[in-house]
Amino acid sequence: MSRKGWLRVAWAALALLTSACIENAPLDIFKPKGPFAEQINDLFWPVFWVAVVIFVLVEGGILFITVVFKDRGGKEAKQIHGNTKLEIMWTVVPALILASIAVPTFRAVFDLTECGADAMPVDIIAHQWWFEYRYPNEDIVTANELVMPAGVEVCARMTSGDVLHNYWIPALNGKRYIVPGQQTVLRLQADEPGYFVGQCAEFCGLSHSLMRARAIARSQDEFDAWVAQQKTPALEPAEGSPAAAGKEEFLAGQCVQCHNITGVNEVGFDQFYGPDLTHFAGRTTFAGSKFETSAENLKTWLANPPIEKPGSFMPNLGLTEEQMDRLIAYLESLE
Amino acid sequence: MTELVHAHDEHESTGIENRKLGMWAFLSSEFLFFGALISNYLLYSNRPFADSVVPAEVYDIPFTSVSSFVLLMSSLTMVLAHNALTRHDQNATGTWLMATAMLGALFLGGQVYEFRTFIVHDGLKLTSNPAASAFFFLTGFHGTHVAIGVIMLLSLWGMSRRVGSLSERHGMNLELVGLYWHFVDIIWIVIFTVVYLLSTPV
Amino acid sequence: MTATATRPSSTIFRRPKSTEGFWGWVTTVDHKKIGILYGYAAFFFFIIGGIEALILRIQLSAPDNTFITAGEYNALFTMHGTTMIFLFVMPMSAAFMNYLLPLMIGARDVAFPRMNALSWWIFVFGGIFLYSTYLFSSPEPPVGLTTIAGNLDPSELGWLARGPDGGWFCYQPNCGPFYTPGHAMDFWALGLQILGLASLISSINFIVTVFNMRARGMRLLRMPVFVWMSMVVAFLLLFSLPIIAIALFMVVFDRQFGSLFFAAQAGGDPILWQHLFWLFGHPEVYILILPAMGIVSEVLPVFSRKPLFGYAAIVFAGAAIAFLGFGVWAHHMFSSGITPVAQAAFGISTMTIAVPTGVKIFNWMGTMWMGKIRFKTPMLFAIGFLAMFTIGGLSGVTHSIVPSDWQQTDTYYIVAHFHYVLFGGSIFGIFAGLYYWFPKFTGRVMSERLGKVHFWLQFIGFNLTFAPMHWLGLQGMIRRTWQYPEEAGYGPWNMVVSAGAFIIAISIAVFIYNWVVSKRRGAPSGLDPWDARTVEWTIPNPTPEYNFAKVPVIHSLDDFWHRKYDEDDDGRAVRREDADETIRTLEEEGRNPATPIHLPAPSYFPVMMAAGVPTIFYGFIFHTSIAGKALIVIGALLSISALIGWGMEPLEEPAEHH
């Protein structure tokens, strides 16, 4: 291929690379929406550019060498054994570059580890394959979505009910492991109200890839309203409505073994349990945030949970169409 | 007749015979093996386990001191066996080898007795708590090493009876087994000190 | 007059006599044959691991895909990683070390030939043991608290899902008895135990060989870099294997005997497993890369026609990397909740290790600088190594920015990093070595044309596969994920990645074809096809059974080169007039040793003793049954009786060895 041809290939490759970024990737780590993720982002980019410079020097150097020093006949090579000055230089200079990177790095580690004194505590308990949220000060329990006030630091105190998991909302901070029998801590804060997507990234079994997380930041007023509503017991469905039939269905079946609905069915924390359903309808996702809340998705789920989430602890209950419709009506009524 | 050339001409560049160097390499690896085992125990022995008996509460130090002394003496008899070999005293070599094996077996008997007491009388089992698991794991592996050593010693003794005069080849074997045996003893000194003597219940 | 193996007198039962044919291979103690056996076995597992990868890539080529089930996916990625690391790269490195180490130091065999055979047999039985999980296991759902069992749809119970599915890293407690019941993970843990034993035995052999069996004049700082790297790797194995052995026993004890090492609910510490695993695991990655670095350090000087730039620095950098490699393990655990002080300390040590690595890269470039470069296939792969490993090294440096690693860890950005260093590094290096030393194994050269096709296909396929993973990861695609959702937008690049994987597969097919055809009909290589520098090229190709007709005396680093070339006033190489004569003489004398040479004789005992090991471990897994207990006894008896027979069998006549 001619030199022009190679140039065209190079431009195409460059164009391809710079277009590499996926538009609006929900878990993009380069779109920080809170102070902690911003601090991390600010650390990364300088190092990245230093790496790019070294990349260009080394790869460019290799390219240069392969073109210029190709054997084209003629004299043999000079049998150089080394160059002490040069070798010392390329030992010391990288060491200095790394040392300069090290200082801000470690400062950030210490900054980002301990929760602030005024942080709002939220206990996150990870289960196979969903996240449970308990607000100790507000005394509420919810699942799948971490609702938080915007502009306020949340101190997530985390433990696992079974295996290792981790918690990751890229827009708000890096990940932190969730370890059974231990407590780990993660600082989370969103600057503005918004809807943030996350994921469990620590391999945790069959449905690891389906254990997703959501964080919703609301203005302080909206958050307070949400808390007030969460504290109320479950809404009683209207007499004779499909939702009421659904409540009967719920109480008659196996659901009561695992699902707490405050005022309707109590399931303690000292036994195996599933997500609290008291205010189910207010949540935008369910089943470990695999599904968006909708009647259609609920039907898919209720029809056969183990197909939707392999290994699911919720079994196939063998529900009929009518049973599912009634249950869905009830669930949708639980605002 | 032209001279026979051996592929394996022993002209060791370091001056240490191949098998001895190999045994030292193996033993250096074993140091890390037992290092990991002992670290394991130390990590767990420092944690409280509610309602569960931990090893530090049930040690019988006097008894273990005696069995440690037995093992220490077996190292002495091992040295005496090697000594006898260099003097080409085949009978004495065999006697001291057997003495070493017997002392090792006695140590093992003491371990078995100790474990039985823990399991049956004190309710300390492998499955009691992580510290108990770590304790039996560590001492169990050490005991396995001692048992393998005893088998090797008895084999050497058997060979010395059958083959007759101990050639250099057997001599090297005895030296190798001796290295292994002393190693196993040193590890026990460390275990006895760190795990038994310096342990206090949390 | 040619040398022959001896036929010694009887021991317990008749000793094998032949070094030819099937039984010749089964009972061989010849380091070259053992090296070849390692090579073919390792390559076989490479194909298996590659097929596993291709299936994974088909599953991941589209969002919300259901080509395979989650259980099958988890087993496949576990086996892919385990196979590539323990059954391909490590044994392939062992293949090179086995074949070449004695040749490079002027020896006729390794220090312990029968132990060498034992290593190979234990490795092969270990690989078979590990894969026999597909015969003996069945997928079981996790159990969960208070023994409520998870539910498996029948679609999850496929044959592929029978494999160990806790990841090659077996993080606890997910990989423990509660959450991964059944036998599969036991096959994994005990299989790795067997493989570790093989490596440990090998490492002892290589250390003693390199220390004790060098030819006269072969001082340590005259040894080829490949020998140095092999020795460093042997020490890494020696000190890291015991730790993983303990850790694996702890896993097996938890799973089989009810111990509570990692039972979190009982006070066990899952993070302890991570510490133990990575204390081994990090030195392990240097075990994987250093042999390839050694190979590249041999190939670059030969095809640049000048010495290695900064030989001593490269040797010491390698040793420094190994030493420091024991101090960085918790960089795999930055987000696991270890204290900020620990994170800072390990961040610093991780950055430090970049320094000797950089030294090596710059020195390799310095080797090529002002060289007279011949772009034969080995050189293409060596340069490919340099270019690709640099990328992997740079992404590695970004991982050492600890808070940034909290975003990067457990994403495809990490997958990109380690594939660039392990595939772009180790595997490219391995291919460089296979093309380079093919003449030594076979007496022929591989086809250059096919070699170039292989290289470019592999280079393009490799970059298409692993480059996109960088931004896929930084844009949130997590690891070990069976599916990813449509909304995340990862679909198109994953399709590119999967296409790249198939291009790699095609390139490997080209290589296999080249190997087979060249072995049969390749051009004869002669003694010195590459105009090489080191002593393994002073003997005929393929290597005679006795290696050296006359053990050489070494006068300098790159001794062979200095017999062919002088230097003029400019420092340029000038071929000596008697160079061709020297080569002819070496060929002639190499084929006709003046005196008969006694080689270590073949033996049954290594394969017999090795067979006892998996037998015992099968017994462990099924220990609750009579058959299992019997297997433990039978295996132990087999190994012990083999050991006794071995002890009484002389290495060769008349000198006696253990």
Side-chain angles (χ1 to χ4, degrees):
Chain A
M1 213 203 306
S2 68
R3 187 166 282 170
K4 235 192 212 161
W6 281 114
L7 226 59
R8 287 208 190 95
V9 169
W11 277 122
L14 202 64
L16 195 68
L17 272 172
T18 46
S19 73
C21 289
I22 301 158
E23 291 283 316
N24 301 318
L27 287 149
D28 194 333
I29 72 169
F30 298 123
K31 301 230 164 62
K33 293 284 194 294
F36 311 126
E38 262 152 35
Q39 190 172 359
I40 292 175
N41 202 40
D42 292 338
L43 271 178
F44 177 81
W45 286 108
V47 177
F48 174 76
W49 289 117
V50 169
V52 166
V53 167
I54 297 175
F55 173 85
V56 167
L57 285 174
V58 173
E59 306 291 357
I62 292 174
L63 225 53
F64 177 84
I65 286 169
T66 53
V67 167
V68 170
F69 299 114
K70 180 176 171 152
D71 182 357
R72 295 184 176 85
K75 289 191 274 196
E76 288 286 1
K78 280 199 197 164
Q79 304 290 293
I80 304 167
H81 291 268
N83 181 327
T84 313
K85 262 198 216 130
L86 205 54
E87 291 174 57
I88 292 180
M89 192 219 31
W90 65 47
T91 312
V92 169
V93 168
L96 290 173
I97 295 176
L98 287 166
S100 66
I101 295 173
V103 173
T105 300
F106 304 126
R107 206 173 284 147
V109 171
F110 285 92
D111 277 348
L112 290 167
T113 303
E114 297 280 312
C115 285
D118 297 326
M120 180 184 113
V122 175
D123 294 329
I124 302 182
I125 298 104
H127 303 269
Q128 283 177 315
W129 291 279
W130 56 284
F131 290 107
E132 176 187 352
Y133 303 99
R134 295 186 204 169
Y135 295 68
N137 293 349
E138 291 79 3
D139 199 25
I140 52 182
V141 175
T142 175
N144 290 324
E145 297 175 355
L146 172 66
V147 179
M148 50 198 276
V152 171
E153 180 186 339
V154 165
C155 183
R157 304 168 330 181
M158 312 190 290
T159 190
S160 167
D162 39 45
V163 298
L164 283 179
H165 298 274
N166 67 20
Y167 197 73
W168 189 34
I169 314 271
L172 302 183
N173 202 347
K175 316 172 185 66
R176 188 71 75 250
Y177 276 34
I178 304 181
V179 186
Q182 296 176 22
Q183 186 185 78
T184 52
V185 155
L186 183 65
R187 307 178 77 186
L188 295 164
Q189 183 173 332
D191 291 328
E192 301 290 323
Y195 188 84
F196 309 106
V197 172
Q199 172 98 40
C200 165
E202 190 56 46
F203 181 67
C204 51
L206 284 163
S207 277
H208 162 61
S209 57
L210 303 171
M211 183 169 169
R212 299 172 185 161
R214 296 284 182 276
I216 304 174
R218 300 213 164 118
S219 69
Q220 190 65 52
D221 292 333
E222 282 182 2
F223 177 75
D224 293 334
W226 176 82
V227 169
Q229 197 212 13
Q230 292 291 312
K231 286 183 171 179
T232 61
L235 276 174
E236 190 64 31
E239 279 261 353
S241 63
K247 181 179 166 189
E248 296 310 310
E249 203 63 61
F250 173 86
L251 287 168
Q254 294 179 53
C255 322
V256 293
Q257 289 179 13
C258 300
H259 288 289
N260 186 74
I261 298 184
T262 310
V264 173
N265 178 52
E266 190 178 328
V267 174
F269 292 138
D270 52 345
Q271 58 169 100
F272 187 83
Y273 61 91
D276 186 301
L277 298 176
T278 313
H279 298 283
F280 176 84
R283 304 205 278 258
T284 61
T285 58
F286 71 96
S289 299
K290 176 184 176 176
F291 292 108
E292 306 216 336
T293 310
S294 74
E296 190 191 331
N297 284 341
L298 276 166
K299 189 164 270 188
T300 310
W301 171 251
L302 288 171
N304 193 351
I307 275 262
E308 300 303 321
K309 288 192 83 164
S312 159
F313 290 97
M314 178 160 155
N316 185 342
L317 297 157
L319 300 170
T320 65
E321 280 285 322
E322 294 83 42
Q323 285 176 303
M324 287 195 277
D325 286 332
R326 281 181 225 133
L327 283 167
I328 291 170
Y330 180 48
L331 287 168
E332 287 185 321
S333 77
L334 292 169
E335 292 285 340
Chain B
M1 176 68 173
T2 47
E3 181 196 317
L4 224 48
V5 170
H6 296 281
H8 251 236
D9 252 331
E10 301 287 333
H11 74 290
E12 297 95 2
S13 319
T14 58
I16 305 172
E17 204 264 352
N18 278 356
R19 286 173 298 154
K20 210 195 256 190
L21 195 57
M23 178 54 85
W24 276 112
F26 172 66
L27 291 178
S28 66
S29 181
E30 289 266 84
F31 268 115
L32 270 118
F33 188 83
F34 281 100
L37 282 167
I38 293 174
S39 306
N40 237 11
Y41 172 80
L42 289 176
L43 275 159
Y44 277 135
S45 69
N46 269 325
R47 299 183 187 194
F49 296 104
D51 307 326
S52 191
V53 60
V54 294
E57 291 165 4
V58 299
Y59 289 145
D60 182 353
I61 300 293
F63 179 82
T64 318
S65 305
V66 171
S67 65
S68 304
F69 181 73
V70 165
L71 198 62
L72 209 54
M73 286 302 104
S74 73
S75 266
L76 173 63
T77 53
M78 186 75 227
V79 169
L80 290 168
H82 185 248
N83 232 345
L85 178 68
T86 53
R87 286 188 333 251
H88 301 291
D89 185 344
Q90 186 217 332
N91 277 326
T93 308
T95 311
W96 288 122
L97 278 174
M98 179 52 78
T100 312
M102 290 293 102
L103 287 170
L106 190 59
F107 171 83
L108 283 175
Q111 290 291 81
V112 169
Y113 172 79
E114 187 177 284
F115 287 3
R116 277 204 79 227
T117 313
F118 287 165
I119 293 170
V120 172
H121 286 220
D122 301 311
L124 181 79
K125 303 195 237 290
L126 180 77
T127 55
S128 299
N129 54 66
S133 300
F135 170 79
F136 283 110
F137 195 59
L138 164 64
T139 48
F141 265 112
H142 177 263
T144 310
H145 279 74
V146 174
I148 293 173
V150 169
I151 294 175
M152 292 200 292
L153 287 163
L154 290 173
S155 311
L156 275 181
W157 177 85
M159 272 160 38
S160 77
R161 294 297 107 193
R162 288 188 53 190
V163 174
S165 60
L166 285 165
S167 69
E168 192 198 273
R169 168 174 150 224
H170 292 273
M172 175 46 65
N173 284 355
L174 191 144
E175 201 169 339
L176 292 177
V177 173
L179 276 173
Y180 176 84
W181 191 256
H182 294 310
F183 169 81
V184 160
D185 192 14
I186 290 173
I187 292 296
W188 180 255
I189 305 294
V190 175
I191 293 176
F192 182 56
T193 311
V194 163
V195 168
Y196 284 84
L197 293 180
L198 294 179
S199 229
T200 44
V202 166
Chain C
M1 188 170 38
T2 51
T4 52
T6 54
R7 284 133 174 70
S9 50
S10 66
T11 51
I12 293 184
F13 51 89
R14 205 175 306 155
R15 188 162 188 170
K17 297 186 177 190
S18 176
T19 56
E20 306 298 319
F22 175 75
W23 286 109
W25 283 90
V26 168
T27 59
T28 185
V29 298
D30 175 2
H31 71 98
K32 300 182 288 302
K33 281 212 170 81
I34 293 173
I36 290 172
L37 286 170
Y38 263 111
Y40 279 109
F43 205 85
F44 171 74
F45 282 115
F46 178 51
I47 306 293
I48 306 254
I51 292 174
E52 287 160 348
L54 289 176
I55 300 176
L56 293 172
R57 283 317 318 171
I58 296 175
Q59 163 64 19
L60 289 173
S61 55
D64 299 312
N65 205 1
T66 49
F67 178 67
I68 51 175
T69 69
E72 292 171 334
Y73 185 88
N74 291 350
L76 276 171
F77 83 70
T78 304
M79 290 305 276
H80 167 74
T82 307
T83 301
M84 287 303 196
I85 291 173
F86 295 104
L87 296 174
F88 169 53
V89 177
M90 285 175 83
M92 187 55 95
S93 304
F96 283 112
M97 292 180 202
N98 263 289
Y99 198 100
L100 294 166
L101 242 47
L103 301 184
M104 285 178 157
I105 60 175
R108 288 205 172 99
D109 207 323
V110 292
F112 306 115
R114 282 170 300 181
M115 242 170 65
N116 206 12
L118 178 71
S119 280
W120 187 77
W121 281 107
I122 293 181
F123 150 67
V124 161
F125 289 146
I128 294 173
F129 180 89
L130 177 61
Y131 270 90
S132 69
T133 179
Y134 285 105
L135 292 173
F136 299 120
S137 305
S138 56
E140 294 179 34
V143 178
L145 292 179
T146 62
T147 70
I148 294 203
N151 298 280
L152 283 182
D153 187 88
S155 66
E156 295 286 343
L157 299 174
W159 180 77
L160 276 179
R162 288 182 173 197
D165 61 352
W168 85 281
F169 47 90
C170 192
Y171 272 7
Q172 301 291 325
N174 181 54
C175 188
F178 220 29
Y179 298 102
T180 308
H183 292 311
M185 263 355 260
D186 296 291
F187 274 101
W188 179 87
L190 291 173
L192 247 54
Q193 205 71 286
I194 299 175
L195 296 169
L197 188 61
S199 291
L200 183 69
I201 295 173
S202 259
S203 66
I204 294 173
N205 219 340
F206 291 150
I207 288 172
V208 177
T209 304
V210 172
F211 272 130
N212 260 358
M213 298 185 67
R214 288 167 282 139
R216 251 207 7 236
M218 179 57 85
R219 298 190 207 141
L220 286 174
L221 284 172
R222 285 180 182 167
M223 296 194 308
V225 173
F226 181 74
V227 178
W228 267 110
M229 294 300 104
S230 302
M231 196 168 66
V232 167
V233 163
F235 275 105
L236 280 171
L237 284 164
L238 203 63
F239 295 134
S240 64
L241 283 171
I243 301 175
I244 192 67
I246 294 297
L248 289 170
F249 274 130
M250 286 160 80
V251 166
V252 172
F253 271 58
D254 267 16
R255 293 180 61 84
Q256 297 283 352
F257 303 125
S259 60
L260 298 170
F261 292 112
F262 307 119
Q265 313 300 337
D269 191 348
I271 305 293
L272 176 63
W273 162 260
Q274 293 187 27
H275 282 292
L276 289 171
F277 180 80
W278 288 115
L279 266 164
F280 156 77
H282 196 83
E284 168 67 10
V285 313
Y286 295 116
I287 289 166
L288 295 172
I289 193 67
L290 286 173
M293 288 184 163
I295 294 175
V296 160
S297 303
E298 298 301 317
V299 170
L300 286 175
V302 168
F303 293 93
S304 307
R305 304 189 57 72
K306 52 192 280 284
L308 189 64
F309 190 93
Y311 165 89
I314 290 198
V315 166
F316 286 124
I321 289 172
F323 181 75
L324 291 171
F326 273 101
V328 302
W329 80 88
H331 70 213
H332 300 270
M333 298 165 60
F334 278 149
S335 68
S336 67
I338 58 177
T339 65
V341 171
Q343 291 178 54
F346 282 100
I348 292 175
S349 61
T350 305
M351 288 181 181
T352 310
I353 217 169
V355 175
T357 313
V359 165
K360 291 179 94 119
I361 292 177
F362 300 134
N363 278 12
W364 285 320
M365 288 173 75
T367 305
M368 296 195 295
W369 185 267
M370 304 233 294
K372 197 166 178 270
I373 303 179
R374 297 183 178 167
F375 291 101
K376 301 285 183 190
T377 312
M379 187 58 165
L380 290 176
F381 278 100
I383 297 176
F385 168 100
L386 201 50
M388 299 299 99
F389 179 78
T390 299
I391 296 176
L394 287 171
S395 61
V397 171
T398 63
H399 302 332
S400 71
I401 312 302
V402 178
S404 186
D405 186 62
W406 299 340
Q407 294 278 32
Q408 302 164 19
T409 190
D410 283 319
T411 68
Y412 261 76
Y413 185 67
I414 306 291
V415 179
H417 160 74
F418 66 72
H419 280 95
Y420 263 85
V421 288
L422 283 179
F423 195 131
S426 299
I427 296 184
F428 271 68
I430 284 171
F431 278 116
L434 287 172
Y435 281 96
Y436 180 57
W437 281 300
F438 184 82
K440 289 238 68 68
F441 311 145
T442 62
R444 301 176 187 278
V445 284
M446 289 181 82
S447 154
E448 271 302 311
R449 196 179 48 89
L450 286 174
K452 288 183 164 64
V453 169
H454 168 207
F455 172 75
W456 285 111
L457 272 178
Q458 186 173 303
F459 184 81
I460 292 168
F462 167 78
N463 279 294
L464 272 179
T465 309
F466 297 108
M469 290 186 183
H470 287 102
W471 51 88
L472 279 170
L474 292 175
Q475 297 203 285
M477 184 171 171
I478 58 167
R479 289 177 75 172
R480 300 147 187 167
T481 188
W482 161 59
Q483 273 183 352
Y484 53 88
E486 172 88 46
E487 313 84 74
Y490 305 136
W493 281 113
N494 267 293
M495 185 61 85
V496 171
V497 167
S498 298
F502 278 91
I503 296 176
I504 295 176
I506 296 171
S507 77
I508 303 300
V510 171
F511 169 80
I512 294 174
Y513 177 74
N514 194 357
W515 182 276
V516 169
V517 164
S518 303
K519 237 174 142 272
R520 291 218 187 107
R521 302 195 314 247
S525 64
L527 186 110
D528 187 18
W530 309 121
D531 202 5
R533 310 176 74 89
T534 43
V535 85
E536 80 269 21
W537 294 104
T538 61
I539 49 185
N541 296 325
T543 318
E545 199 182 356
Y546 46 83
N547 301 349
F548 297 91
K550 201 171 62 178
V551 174
V553 176
I554 307 299
H555 301 102
S556 66
L557 178 64
D558 289 342
D559 186 82
F560 183 39
W561 179 262
H562 293 294
R563 292 171 75 171
K564 297 183 291 184
Y565 288 89
D566 289 324
E567 283 177 34
D568 66 14
D569 296 326
D570 258 348
R572 293 186 192 278
V574 171
R575 195 174 174 89
R576 292 163 58 138
E577 278 169 20
D578 61 355
D580 293 334
E581 177 70 37
T582 305
I583 293 176
R584 268 196 298 274
T585 313
L586 285 171
E587 175 94 47
E588 169 72 25
E589 285 178 357
R591 294 201 186 280
N592 301 296
T595 57
I597 300 172
H598 266 242
L599 296 169
S603 170
Y604 287 123
F605 293 118
V607 59
M608 216 178 115
M609 182 162 168
V613 177
T615 314
I616 295 174
F617 283 146
Y618 276 119
F620 256 46
I621 290 185
F622 298 107
H623 71 272
T624 46
S625 72
I626 300 286
K629 294 183 174 74
L631 280 174
I632 296 178
V633 172
I634 292 171
L637 283 175
L638 194 57
S639 286
I640 290 175
S641 52
L643 192 58
I644 292 174
W646 181 333
M648 295 173 51
E649 173 191 79
L651 179 62
E652 39 153 298
E653 291 283 289
E656 297 182 326
H657 280 266
H658 170 57

